[in-house]
Structures are given as C-alpha cells and as structure tokens.
Amino acid sequence: MEETQPSSFDKPDEETQIIESVEDEDLTNILDKHEAIERNLTWEVRKLEKDKVLLENENLRLDREVKSLKNEINRFRTPPLVIATVSELLDNHEAVVKSTTGPSFLLKYSEKDASKMEIGARVALNQQTFSIVDVLTSEKDPLVSGMEIEEKPDLSYDDIGGLDDQIKETIETVELPLKNPEIFEKVGITPPKGVLFYGPPGTGKTLLAKSVAHETNATFIKIVASEFVKKYIGEGSRLVRGVFELAKEKAPAIIFIDEIDAIAAKRLQGSTSGDREVQRTLMQLLAEMDGFETRGNVRILAATNRPDILDPALIRPGRFDRVIEVPVPDEEGKLEILKIHTKDMTLDSDVDLEYIAHQAKDASGADLKSICTEAGMFAIRDEHYSVSAQNFEDALKKVLTARNQDIAKDSVMFG
C-alpha cells in the first residue's frame, strides 16, 4: 500500500491553531496585568482616601488652634482691670470703692451683684469707665487656708496621763466659753481669751492642744510660729493677719501656735534687720490678740519650752489669761502614762509598771512612750510575742542613757 503524504492544504490549519494559542496566552497575560493594575489603583485610591481623612482632621485641629490663638491675642489686647475694695454701701445700688491706684469712686452696681456686695469685698473696675465688671472672691493666702485642720485628731483627754490639773484648767479656759457661754454672762465676767502652755520638751503640751481639737466642734487652726518668719518686710505680719481673719470667718475657732518663742522673744534695742522684721511680726500678733478690733469668738492656744525669753507684752492678762505649766510627771503621773501606753501591749506577768515608773526618774511623757516602744522592739528581736520585765529593763537603760547624754551635750554647748 502506498503511504499517504500530507497534503499542502493541512499546513494553514496548524498555523491557525498556533496563532490562536499565542493569542490566548497574550490575552491571559493582558487580563492578569489588568487585574494587577486594578488592584494597585484600588489600593492607591484607598490610601488617598485615608490621607484625605487625616488631612481633614489635621485641618480641623489647626483651625481650633488658630481660633484659640486668636482668642489669646484678643485677651492680651484687652486692657487690664483695676482692683478696688468696697468701703461703703449706699442706697440705689451705689457703692464707694477705693481703688489700688489711690482715688475713691462712687459707682453703681447691677442687681445681680447685690448679694455679693459687702463692705470689704474686692471688685474689678474697667480702666476707662471705672464701672464694676466683676465681684472677686476674698483674698486668701493658700498657706493660711492649709493651716485649718480638716480631720480632728483621734486623741481625747483619756489618752493623756498625769496632767489632770492642766486638763481641768484647759477645759475651763477653752472649752467652757465655746460650749456654754451663758455661764459667763450670768456671772458677769469675760471668759479667758488665751492659754499658754509651758514646760520641758515631751511633757504633753501639744497633746493637750490635740485633745482640745478632738473635744470641741470649733474650727482648729494649727501653726508653728517659725512659719510666721518671712524674708521680706511685711510678709510675716500679713500672714498673722490672714490667720486671724480666717479664724474670725470660721468662728467659733481655736488658733494653736506651737513653739511661740520663735517670734515672741524679748525685744532688745540692739538688733539686726532680721530681728526687727521678727519684732514687726510679733507686734502684729499682739495687735491681733488684744488690739483695737475685737477678735470675736476666737480662742488662742500656744506652747513653748522657753517661757523665760518671752516678751512681757505677750504674757500679760488680756492676751494669755492662763499660763499653765506642764511639768515632768511625778511617779503617780508616770504610772498613769505607762498604763495608757501599755494597754494594748501583751505583757508578761513579771512586768511591774510601778517599779518601771519608779526607775524612770526625770523621764517625760515622751520618754515613757519611747521606753514602751523600745521594750516591744526588744521582745520582737528575741522573737517573743509578749514583753517581759527584762525587755523593759533594757529599754530603760537605752532610753535614759541616750537622754542623759543629750543633756550633757547641751550643758557643754551652752555652758
């Protein structure tokens, strides 16, 4: 048989198939590229939309900042106001005010400010028309406001031992005029105005003041006298005046001045500029305590370790009507103090508080508290849960030896 030879007519079909396959591949590549370009364009559009949102937010922030800066500029362009003090109130909503620049003015004020207007109130005046723009709050030193005790000390007279007479005098002088002033009116006398506690350190002067703050409902203002000592002239006097103004405003009130000898030393002729400023502060204190103006229902408590250096003008009647000595407790008083400090302690049966009170010669109330604390520390050191008599013996030696060494150093230093 003869082999069939491919005819010339079959070649165009093969070429057609090849061309079609090439066209399909090109079309697929084109479609893939188109999809890739579409994805890229979609991503770019989303990115541009996000950038647009961010730019809009940034534009809003910048607009707010521009408005704030414009308001700040307008505030700077506004002329300052003049501060004045109301010296007299008249009819028809009129008031006489004295400005800080010097002259006094007769001005009208609006009805909405009528409840705030009072003699001594501070007001702000327009520089051009001198009309009352605003009624300001009273001027208060933050340091003075911080002297008021918000939370009363958790200490009563029962927590003080060996000072029964002093507690009785304090109650008569401070508490009774505040709680029952009618008694003094019936008798026809003026209640005492102030009490000065004096005595060695650690005898309970500050404890008495804390107990008064706990027992009374009066506002209690506590300050250390050294806080009145300031660098610039007049600052100490202004602070003293602010303390008494706060007490008058919150009356009935009690002012407690601790370590009053810091500003109340005897005035001498030869003195430095610093001493003279302290003396000015003292004179302001004397004027506030018993000056031309009455101080109202305000009682004064003070404490010092050095009554011998106090100025005679301070301790005269009318300022401190009661001068109460707070001495080192006797043996009976020491026993009471030891009972108070050991009531929550776990003691062994061999502990004799009377013997400890007898051995603690010349010890103050603070020393006795330290002895109880040290005895407890010795017990903890020995890993015991109760305090023995030997622990108290060790505590007596430690505390009293340290105190005697301090006394010896002071006698050498000031001898």
Side-chain angles (χ1 to χ4, degrees):
M1 292 181 64
E2 295 182 355
E3 294 181 358
T4 304
Q5 298 292 331
S7 64
S8 59
F9 296 102
D10 294 335
K11 290 182 180 179
D13 294 337
E14 293 177 357
E15 291 177 357
T16 303
Q17 292 176 357
I18 293 172
I19 292 171
E20 288 179 353
S21 62
V22 171
E23 288 179 351
D24 291 340
E25 291 178 359
D26 291 341
L27 182 61
T28 303
N29 291 335
I30 291 172
L31 290 174
D32 291 342
K33 290 181 180 179
H34 178 72
E35 290 178 357
I37 292 172
E38 186 177 1
R39 285 196 300 270
N40 290 336
L41 290 176
T42 303
W43 182 83
E44 288 290 338
V45 169
R46 290 177 180 175
K47 181 176 179 298
L48 291 174
E49 288 177 349
K50 291 181 180 179
D51 292 341
K52 179 184 176 183
V53 172
L54 292 175
L55 290 174
E56 288 177 350
N57 292 334
E58 184 69 13
N59 190 29
L60 291 174
R61 187 186 68 80
L62 292 174
D63 286 341
R64 287 195 295 267
E65 188 173 347
V66 168
K67 290 179 181 179
S68 176
L69 292 174
K70 285 182 178 180
N71 293 332
E72 192 74 8
I73 291 172
N74 293 331
R75 188 175 66 83
F76 287 146
R77 289 175 177 174
T78 303
L81 303 176
V82 177
I83 303 299
T85 304
V86 178
S87 57
E88 188 178 357
L89 292 176
L90 305 176
D91 298 332
N92 300 323
H93 294 99
E94 292 182 339
V96 177
V97 300
K98 182 175 179 58
S99 68
T100 53
T101 57
S104 298
F105 302 97
L106 176 63
L107 306 173
K108 284 186 172 293
Y109 57 89
S110 62
E111 293 185 4
K112 67 181 182 66
D113 295 331
S115 59
K116 302 178 184 178
M117 293 293 290
E118 58 183 12
I119 295 177
R122 296 192 307 155
V123 294
L125 307 180
N126 186 288
Q127 267 196 347
Q128 297 177 348
T129 62
F130 290 104
S131 59
I132 296 177
V133 177
D134 192 12
V135 180
L136 307 178
T137 57
S138 60
E139 183 180 8
K140 288 184 179 178
D141 193 329
L143 182 60
V144 174
S145 301
M147 294 174 187
E148 181 183 352
I149 296 179
E150 300 292 341
E151 296 183 2
K152 293 186 177 181
D154 188 16
L155 183 73
S156 64
Y157 293 128
D158 296 333
D159 299 322
I160 302 176
L163 297 177
D164 294 338
D165 295 337
Q166 289 79 3
I167 291 174
K168 183 178 179 181
E169 289 193 57
T170 303
I171 292 174
E172 293 174 351
T173 309
V174 181
E175 287 191 34
L176 198 57
L178 295 175
K179 293 182 177 180
N180 198 356
E182 296 82 7
I183 295 178
F184 295 91
E185 294 179 1
K186 291 178 180 179
V187 176
I189 61 172
T190 303
K193 295 181 179 179
V195 178
L196 174 65
F197 301 117
Y198 74 93
T203 52
K205 300 182 292 297
T206 306
L207 290 181
L208 285 170
K210 288 183 178 180
S211 300
V212 172
H214 175 79
E215 296 292 339
T216 60
N217 293 324
T219 302
F220 197 85
I221 301 170
K222 188 257 183 185
I223 183 172
V224 180
S226 57
E227 296 181 46
F228 287 135
V229 181
K230 298 297 179 182
K231 179 179 179 180
Y232 298 104
I233 294 175
E235 285 295 307
S237 301
R238 182 183 61 80
L239 190 60
V240 172
R241 187 168 58 253
V243 169
F244 278 85
E245 286 178 356
L246 176 65
K248 291 177 185 177
E249 183 180 325
K250 300 268 180 106
I254 299 172
I255 300 174
F256 174 57
I257 306 174
D258 203 2
E259 307 295 345
I260 196 172
D261 51 276
I263 62 167
K266 293 178 182 177
R267 289 168 284 183
L268 305 175
Q269 291 183 352
S271 57
T272 63
S273 59
D275 294 333
R276 288 193 292 272
E277 175 56 23
V278 173
Q279 291 173 7
R280 293 187 190 98
T281 305
L282 172 60
M283 287 185 280
Q284 181 67 40
L285 176 63
L286 296 176
E288 294 291 343
M289 291 181 66
D290 188 29
F292 186 77
E293 295 183 1
T294 178
R295 68 174 186 231
N297 197 10
V298 177
R299 297 289 176 268
I300 309 293
L301 295 179
T304 180
N305 302 328
R306 296 293 307 276
D308 54 308
I309 66 172
L310 294 181
D311 194 283
L314 183 72
I315 57 178
R316 72 161 176 83
R319 292 189 174 119
F320 286 115
D321 296 294
R322 287 282 181 92
V323 180
I324 301 176
E325 181 183 6
V326 186
V328 175
D330 56 13
E331 191 168 323
E332 184 180 350
K334 291 174 186 174
L335 179 59
E336 292 181 14
I337 295 172
L338 286 172
K339 288 180 179 179
I340 290 172
H341 291 308
T342 58
K343 64 181 180 181
D344 295 327
M345 295 176 64
T346 305
L347 304 179
D348 288 348
S349 59
D350 61 345
V351 175
D352 187 358
L353 295 180
E354 293 183 1
Y355 173 76
I356 298 170
H358 178 72
Q359 289 297 109
K361 296 179 180 179
D362 299 328
S364 65
D367 293 332
L368 294 172
K369 181 181 180 181
S370 180
I371 289 171
C372 295
T373 303
E374 288 297 332
M377 295 303 296
F378 279 117
I380 293 173
R381 185 180 300 173
D382 297 336
E383 297 183 355
H384 293 162
Y385 294 102
S386 61
V387 185
S388 64
Q390 184 60 44
N391 296 142
F392 275 100
E393 288 285 351
D394 296 337
L396 279 167
K397 292 178 183 178
K398 180 178 180 180
V399 174
L400 296 183
T401 301
R403 185 178 62 82
N404 292 333
Q405 288 177 353
D406 292 339
I407 293 174
K409 288 180 182 179
D410 292 341
S411 62
V412 172
M413 184 178 298
F414 300 104

